[in-house]
Amino acid sequence: MKDQKDRLEALRADIERRNPAQPEFHQAVREVLETLAPVFAARPEYADPAVALVERLTEPERQILFRVPWQDDRGRVHVNRGYRVEFNSALGPYKGGLRFHPSVDIGVVKFLGFEQIFKNALTGLGIGGGKGGSDFDPHGKSDAEVMRFCQSFMTELHRHIGEHTDVPAGDIGVGGREIGYLFGQYRRITNRWEAGVLTGKGQGWGGSAIRPQATGYGSVLFAAEMLAVRGEALDGLSAVVSGSGNVALYTIEKLQRLGANPLTCSDSEGYVVDDKGIDLALLKQIKEVERGRVSEYAARRGSSARFVSGGRVWDVPADVAFPSATQNELEARDARALVAGGVKAVSEGANMPTTPEAVRILQEAGVAFGPGKAANAGGVAVSALEMAQNAGRVAWSEQRVEDELAGIMRSIHTVAHETAERYGAPGDYVVGANIAGFERVADAMLAQGVI
Ligand code: NDP
């Protein structure tokens, strides 16, 4: 085991040297490598330096960078950068979302693509890992500007994607509106009705029921599974949720349906705490219809709600917590605040929202911790179901997709839980999810030769 730890440490140092100035990618790789020593000890074929499996797994199969020029409503030309990292296709076509946010750079896209490989493997469905996006900021842009940007982005991206090659979807800053513009341009350029090239489409034109809800619903179902192992249920529990985008809204919806009381939501300007519980209809009106800010919620809701400028939801005591905004949004001091408030479970709706030190604090305090790779896999799982429906030119009922999603989340929980036990780390879902995802991808890579 000591030898394996030394080899993994040397590998990590080499990866950081070869990929400078990519802190998020380093963090994601480190977090996975730290948990792999026991599987390398048990299965030496994975660790054989002559096979260089981990070296291949941490090097994307293909990285695409391109210029995205577009004109604003006044006719001024802007230039953004577009990215698509096609990380690993051992299990199926590259699959993963597009993120439009000013913080996007190659390191962020690689961290997300790397995580996606293991997440997609955990779903048990035939999808590889990829991710993309742009440093374009959709906030404050008109619909016409967003459309022109999406059309320019797809004018380059279309030559790299396809239903059997690479299938993007949404992420931060990319929702139904953006997927619509991207799909329209793809269809126009290629002259193909290739529904399976993008997921997250509108339900009237190839989209799946429950896709917008899937990530948030799945994260809540994962929390329910973790609690059930401890003989508890969500009914009657208070919850804190960060973010107010796609994942956060449907986390709140599912929590309310299961009898829990979500008290908060947030955006990059601050958070709202509502003592009566979030009024989801009002929040959806502000976020989905008016594209407004959470501060407006507090202003319109009345005396039960207040807006805390610049604060973080983790200061609000609650039984369960759902980080659902962005990476590294829950730090050590936030974890301590959650523990002091009596939190029982944390389920990551966002990707890598909890810093490594915060994860350690939560786990040492006995909090059930569901890592994003497992807890937020419901979104990509329903995306894969959307691809299946597109391939068969059929549309499944809401009930069928919801049942499938529940079954997939249960099975991800079971596999992460059992794998953690098998490798001597009972209750550690980080270890379980990393190893279970890794084994599936590694076996496929070994079987497919030196690729
Ligand atoms: P949205 O764009 O719909 O919402 C993002 C939310 O997070 C907004 O409230 C936004 O606030 C907030 N946010 C974003 N960046 C920051 C930041 N730097 N600081 C504070 N708040 C921030 O994105 P999604 O809901 O789709 O995605 C949220 C997370 O879930 C991401 O980590 C994503 O990778 C992950 N995820 C998403 C999936 C999906 O199906 N959509 C699937 C799996 C994971 P503001 O408006 O102020 O920027």
Side-chain angles (χ1 to χ4, degrees):
M1 194 90 150
K2 164 97 175 52
D3 285 358
Q4 302 307 343
K5 281 208 165 123
D6 289 348
R7 169 155 156 70
L8 288 167
E9 183 50 31
L11 271 171
R12 184 192 61 74
D14 195 46
I15 290 160
E16 292 187 8
R17 185 186 56 75
R18 279 162 51 80
N19 299 277
Q22 298 178 3
E24 293 87 358
F25 180 54
H26 298 171
Q27 185 182 336
V29 169
R30 201 178 319 127
E31 189 256 305
V32 170
L33 292 188
E34 272 169 9
T35 55
L36 293 185
V39 73
F40 278 19
R43 310 265 310 261
E45 71 273 22
Y46 290 151
D48 184 352
V51 177
L53 184 72
V54 175
E55 287 86 338
R56 283 188 277 150
L57 196 50
T58 50
E59 185 70 27
E61 290 175 14
R62 194 173 297 106
Q63 303 181 56
I64 302 150
L65 262 93
F66 50 99
R67 180 174 70 197
V68 190
W70 59 279
Q71 264 182 314
D72 68 21
D73 290 342
R74 291 175 303 144
R76 266 189 68 157
V77 176
H78 301 260
V79 178
N80 285 95
R81 222 169 250 176
Y83 302 88
R84 187 72 185 166
V85 171
E86 298 181 333
F87 223 119
N88 192 297
S89 59
L91 294 177
Y94 310 104
K95 184 87 197 84
L98 298 171
R99 175 176 293 191
F100 291 170
H101 192 272
S103 63
V104 168
D105 63 18
I106 190 66
V108 167
V109 179
K110 279 170 67 180
F111 122 61
L112 291 163
F114 185 69
E115 294 267 304
Q116 198 82 46
I117 303 170
F118 306 100
K119 180 189 311 190
N120 293 3
L122 274 175
T123 65
L125 304 165
I127 39 179
K131 201 84 187 189
S134 173
D135 56 358
F136 173 75
D137 185 0
H139 285 114
K141 306 288 190 301
S142 69
D143 282 353
E145 288 172 333
V146 170
M147 181 182 75
R148 285 195 293 276
F149 175 81
C150 289
Q151 290 177 338
S152 181
F153 186 86
M154 184 53 84
T155 299
E156 173 58 34
L157 187 70
H158 87 276
R159 63 186 101 247
H160 308 290
I161 62 175
E163 62 181 332
H164 300 297
T165 312
D166 184 354
V167 184
D171 191 81
I172 292 178
V174 179
R177 173 182 62 170
E178 290 75 16
I179 293 291
Y181 295 148
L182 290 164
F183 184 73
Q185 184 74 348
Y186 182 86
R187 189 169 59 73
R188 184 176 195 193
I189 293 176
T190 59
N191 192 29
R192 282 164 65 86
W193 179 268
E194 188 186 335
V197 71
L198 286 171
T199 58
K201 300 180 295 295
Q203 239 183 290
W205 42 278
S208 174
I210 307 291
R211 176 60 190 90
Q213 294 87 338
T215 308
Y217 279 19
S219 166
V220 175
L221 292 171
F222 196 85
E225 292 291 327
M226 292 195 296
L227 289 169
V229 169
R230 300 169 170 223
E232 299 196 52
L234 280 166
D235 190 18
L237 299 189
S238 58
V240 282
V241 179
S242 66
S244 52
N246 171 264
V247 178
L249 289 177
Y250 292 100
T251 295
I252 291 170
E253 183 165 290
K254 191 68 173 179
L255 281 166
Q256 290 177 339
R257 287 190 184 175
L258 294 182
N261 189 17
L263 300 169
T264 64
C265 62
S266 70
D267 60 26
S268 52
E269 289 164 8
Y271 76 88
V272 160
V273 56
D274 189 332
D275 298 333
K276 284 195 189 150
I278 294 291
D279 176 343
L280 188 57
L282 175 59
L283 186 61
K284 278 187 179 175
Q285 169 67 25
I286 291 168
K287 296 303 300 184
E288 291 190 324
V289 181
E290 301 167 21
R291 295 184 183 273
R293 313 299 296 160
V294 296
S295 52
E296 293 162 37
Y297 173 96
R300 276 150 70 174
R301 170 72 161 149
S303 61
S304 70
R306 62 186 185 282
F307 176 68
V308 181
S309 178
R312 296 197 187 195
V313 298
W314 320 121
D315 291 335
V316 177
D319 299 312
V320 281
F322 294 84
S324 310
T326 192
Q327 62 268 15
N328 294 327
E329 56 161 317
L330 198 168
E331 297 178 301
R333 69 178 170 83
D334 306 314
R336 284 189 205 102
L338 284 172
V339 170
V343 76
K344 301 166 195 276
V346 175
S347 184
E348 291 189 324
N351 284 310
M352 211 169 72
T354 317
T355 64
E357 202 192 342
V359 174
R360 193 179 48 72
I361 291 166
L362 293 168
Q363 288 184 323
E364 282 177 7
V367 176
F369 177 77
K373 268 184 215 90
N376 71 35
V380 76
V382 172
S383 274
L385 302 181
E386 182 172 330
M387 290 161 71
Q389 294 169 71
N390 293 154
R393 296 192 189 282
V394 291
W396 299 347
S397 70
E398 222 166 88
Q399 193 58 53
R400 175 165 177 191
V401 182
E402 201 159 349
D403 290 348
E404 297 262 358
L405 171 64
I408 291 168
M409 294 314 297
R410 236 186 339 266
S411 127
I412 293 173
H413 175 271
T414 303
V415 93
H417 194 257
E418 288 179 357
T419 307
E421 287 205 340
R422 189 152 46 90
Y423 283 97
D428 188 333
Y429 293 97
V430 177
V431 166
N434 284 348
I435 293 183
F438 172 82
E439 284 183 325
R440 193 159 179 242
V441 183
D443 288 342
M445 287 177 71
L446 289 177
Q448 293 173 26
V450 180
I451 302 293

